[in-house]
Structures are given as C-alpha cells and as structure tokens.
Amino acid sequence: MRTLTVQLADRSYPIHIGPGLLKRVELMIERMPQKAAALVTNTTVEPLYSRGLVAALEASGVRVVRVVLPDGEAHKNWESLNRIFDLLIAGRCERNTTVIALGGGVVGDLAGFAAAIYQRGTPFIQVPTTLLAHVDSAVGGKTAINHPLGKNMIGAFYQPRVVVIDTDTLETLPAREFAAGVAEVIKYGAIRDAAFFAWLEQHIERVIARDPDALGYAIERSCINKAEVVGQDERETGQRALLNYGHTFGHAIEAGVGYGAWLHGEAVAAGMVLAAKLSRRLGFLGEQEVARITSLLRRARLPVDGPELSVERYFELMAHDKKVEGGRLRFILLRGLGEAFLASDVPVVAVEEALAQRHASDV
Ligand code: NAD
Ligand code: GLY
C-alpha cells in the first residue's frame, strides 16, 4: 500500500492506494469519529463490493445504514439526494455518522454533497471504484448534483476524511469506462507532468491491459498531481482550473451528442486534442506535440475526433461552460507538453479554425 497526503492544514487527509484495501476497514474506522456509518452505493456496485465491505465494517463493530441508489448520471439529482436523506433520517444517523461513498464519480459526488449538507456537515469517506474516481473525482472535495439546465450546477467543496483506493475494484470495470479514466490520467501528464507523459508513452499498453504494477503507478502518479493542485488551490481560484484541460470542448461534446452517448472521459479526450490544436494555432504548441497527444489517446482507445456538430453549435454549447467569465470564453491551453495555462482572451477565429479541424488528422 502507498499513502499520499492532501495537504490542507487541519483538514489534510490521506489517500491510500493498493490492492485488497476494501478489506482493510481499519483505514476507514481510524478516520471516523464514532462507529456509525451510512454506506452510499448504487445497484451495480452493491452486489460487487458493498456486501463484503458492510460485513467487514459490522464485524469491527460499526453500525451501518445502507443506501443503494439507481445507477447512472441521470440519477445525479435531487431525487437521489432526497433518498439519501430519507434513509439517513430513518436510520437515525447523527452528525457524527460518517457517510461512505462506494462507487464511481456519480456516487462520490452525490454522497459527498449529501455529507456536506446533512445536519450541516457529517464526516465523509471516499471509496472509489472506477478509474476516473481513483485518479480524479474522489480526491479534492468537489461534490455536486446536476440541474436539468446544467451539469454539476449545485454543489459544495467538502473534503473527505480519507480516500481508500482498492485497485482490485478495477478488475470488474467495463473496458469503455476504464479507457475513459485513462483520459484523465493522460491529462495530468499533458498539463503538469511531462515526465509522466513520456512514461505513459512507454507503458500505455500495460496500463490498458491493467497490469497491476503499471496501473498502480499510473494511479499513484495521477493522485500525486491531483493532491498537489488541490493542496495549493482548493477552491479553484487559480491553478486548479488547469485540471479542466480539454473540458471546455469536452462539456460541449457531451451535451451536443446528448448526455450518455459519449462518456465524460471520451469527450475530454477529443476535447484535449481540440485544445492542443487551438494551442498550436496560437503558436504555443508544435505540430509534433499535438501528434504525440493524439497518438497517446488513440493508443488508449479513446476518441480523438470531435463529433459532427456545427461550429455554431459548439460555440452555443461552450457558452454554458462554468469557465465563462464576463461573457468571454476561457480556455486551458498548453505551452508545451507538461505546462498548461489559462487563456482568457482567445480570438474567436482561432477557436473556429481549431473546430473546423476537428478530425485528428487535420493539424
Ligand atoms: P460512474 O460513477 O457513472 O461509473 C461508471 C459506471 O461504472 C457506472 O455504471 C457504475 O455503476 C459502474 N461501476 C463503478 N464501479 C465499478 C466497478 N468497480 N466495476 C464495474 N462497474 C462499476 O462514472 P465515473 O466515470 O466514475 O464518474 C463520472 C462522474 O464523476 C460524473 O458525474 C462527473 O461529473 C463526476 N466527476 C467529478 C469530479 C470531481 O472532482 N468531483 C471529477 C471528475 C468527474
Ligand atoms: N476534476 C477537476 C477538479 O477536481 O478540479
């Protein structure tokens, strides 16, 4: 097991990474103020991992209230949040009851938001089970639900007490979901860790094959990057925004093709290629670097071509992005591989040109 720390003064917390950690319930219990928990999961993860975890917690004397939600992004809403509260209140959960999120980013975001506001804040633990949640959503304290008019529009910053990453849980993750998580792994290399990007170029096939050593290293290195960024800018007043590389285009793609048609990581992959092309048009990135990003994503079995939406439609969709400030579109661009920056005055014509070249081979 490897342990990292998210440094946030008196709210600092460990991230434990390794195989078999679901059985190590002491890693959770030592961060709980009392032996009472509400385990939030969904109908897919429940039969895979929840029963064993609940049994292990109960065997250690923890009283557990179970909350099983329907699966899917469509359920990241008020109704699911209310279901959590109904069961917490019916189960007499108190302010010191720890909410444990067991699942992917949807469960983590929902349970985290519930923990943030139930009785004005209860302790919270993340036990992520998708690659995307291992390397991104479980770390950093962003919690949210969707609104019919926008994704993640209602939420709170609320940090967990500990993140327990059992890498064995990835054995059951469908290939497409796995690849979507790899997109976020590649993102860390592209935005702030050129050496990691080069390592991924060497080892991407091992990562995709879920080789335990390569995958464990990729998760750890991603979490190190995420933890550093969150430790320096918890509330996204500066560099945390760089984690949204590829996301302005990506969110437009997700919405434009209809939520659920493309996975978030798939949209981010094509979005990262578009953002690299935009960086190149503005003279910040070379053609060879755009090709390296495209090739690595392709080898990770991710889409690198933006979908066939009109340029006008992309613009319309991008206007809803949370990075819109004062009506202007802002983009995360690359100034070479491994160095991202926030550009707020990007000429519209350059964005149009990048979008016109949304097939990966058009550079
Ligand atoms: P998800 O939670 O929908 O999980 C993907 C699918 O895999 C689901 O069907 C889930 O039930 C299933 N699953 C989960 N673990 C499994 C396992 N071990 N074996 C088999 N199936 C398993 O999707 P996700 O990609 O994990 O997360 C996406 C969500 O995360 C989005 O809502 C996004 O907004 C959010 N997100 C949040 C942050 C953050 O910082 N809070 C960051 C990135 C994304
Ligand atoms: N996933 C982006 C962030 O946590 O800030």
Side-chain angles (χ1 to χ4, degrees):
M1 178 177 91
R2 286 271 293 141
T3 299
L4 315 169
T5 304
V6 181
Q7 300 286 359
L8 288 168
D10 59 343
R11 290 174 300 116
S12 296
Y13 56 91
I15 306 171
H16 303 297
I17 306 168
L21 297 195
L22 277 183
K23 294 194 186 76
R24 301 271 311 271
V25 287
E26 73 277 10
L27 299 172
M28 300 171 213
I29 294 170
E30 69 192 12
R31 307 291 293 182
M32 292 165 50
Q34 67 182 41
K35 286 192 168 184
L39 187 99
V40 181
T41 188
N42 72 17
T43 47
T44 303
V45 178
E46 200 261 347
L48 292 170
Y49 303 112
S50 164
R51 290 169 197 168
L53 178 55
V54 169
L57 286 165
E58 287 179 341
S60 299
V62 179
R63 189 176 84 88
V64 185
V65 169
R66 297 155 210 226
V67 181
V68 183
L69 301 171
D71 189 0
E73 183 76 34
H75 298 285
K76 194 172 143 181
N77 57 17
W78 283 113
E79 209 180 325
S80 296
L81 202 62
N82 269 330
R83 180 163 168 76
I84 298 175
F85 296 140
D86 288 348
L87 292 170
L88 261 57
I89 294 167
R92 298 179 194 286
C93 293
E94 299 169 355
R95 189 175 284 166
N96 268 340
T97 299
T98 300
V99 173
I100 302 177
L102 175 72
V106 169
V107 165
D109 280 13
L110 261 166
F113 189 39
I117 59 177
Y118 182 67
Q119 299 202 12
R120 302 192 184 88
T122 54
F124 173 47
I125 289 178
Q126 284 274 19
V127 186
T129 62
T130 63
L131 181 58
L132 180 133
H134 286 180
V135 301
D136 188 1
S137 62
V139 176
K142 277 190 181 176
T143 74
I145 58 169
N146 299 329
H147 184 276
L149 296 180
K151 210 168 125 72
N152 293 331
M153 279 292 165
I154 299 150
F157 285 100
Y158 195 66
Q159 300 294 340
R161 298 272 175 113
V162 58
V163 182
V164 178
I165 299 176
D166 183 339
T167 50
D168 286 343
T169 57
L170 298 180
E171 283 169 15
T172 53
L173 194 66
R176 203 175 150 201
E177 296 288 352
F178 184 87
V182 175
E184 303 286 354
V185 172
I186 292 172
K187 180 191 76 180
Y188 291 113
I191 63 169
R192 69 190 308 278
D193 193 343
F196 183 38
F197 191 93
W199 182 89
L200 286 166
E201 288 181 310
Q202 296 278 312
H203 299 287
I204 194 70
E205 277 74 28
R206 286 176 63 208
V207 172
I208 289 293
R210 307 186 202 192
D211 168 272
D213 290 339
L215 185 53
Y217 178 75
I219 293 170
E220 183 187 333
R221 189 82 173 238
S222 299
C223 285
I224 290 171
N225 275 292
K226 177 101 194 224
E228 279 176 9
V229 171
V230 171
Q232 287 160 25
D233 180 22
E234 182 188 9
R235 299 243 160 186
E236 199 168 313
T237 53
Q239 68 150 309
R240 187 164 180 171
L242 305 183
L243 296 175
N244 289 324
Y245 174 61
H247 286 57
T248 304
F249 289 118
H251 287 151
I253 291 171
E254 270 184 285
V257 296
Y259 282 110
W262 283 41
L263 297 178
H264 175 71
E266 293 170 339
V268 167
M272 287 196 283
V273 174
L274 278 167
K277 286 179 176 173
L278 180 57
S279 307
R280 175 159 186 271
R281 297 218 74 77
L282 296 168
F284 295 112
L285 207 59
E287 187 176 332
Q288 205 205 354
E289 289 162 311
V290 178
R292 281 177 69 188
I293 293 171
T294 310
S295 158
L296 185 57
L297 291 165
R298 197 180 266 133
R299 284 166 63 200
R301 300 175 197 167
L302 284 158
V304 290
D305 292 334
E308 287 306 324
L309 306 169
S310 68
V311 170
E312 295 71 35
R313 182 75 181 127
Y314 271 101
F315 269 95
E316 202 177 288
L317 292 161
M318 286 190 298
H320 293 293
D321 191 272
K322 283 202 288 306
K323 281 187 297 305
V324 172
E325 213 174 60
R328 286 180 320 197
L329 275 174
R330 301 186 298 157
F331 284 92
I332 311 302
L333 300 180
L334 296 183
R335 189 185 279 127
L337 261 178
E339 197 189 336
F341 68 102
L342 177 67
S344 20
D345 273 324
V346 176
V348 169
V349 65
V351 182
E352 284 170 349
E353 283 168 4
L355 282 168
Q357 300 183 321
R358 61 187 166 279
H359 294 288
S361 49
D362 310 329
V363 182

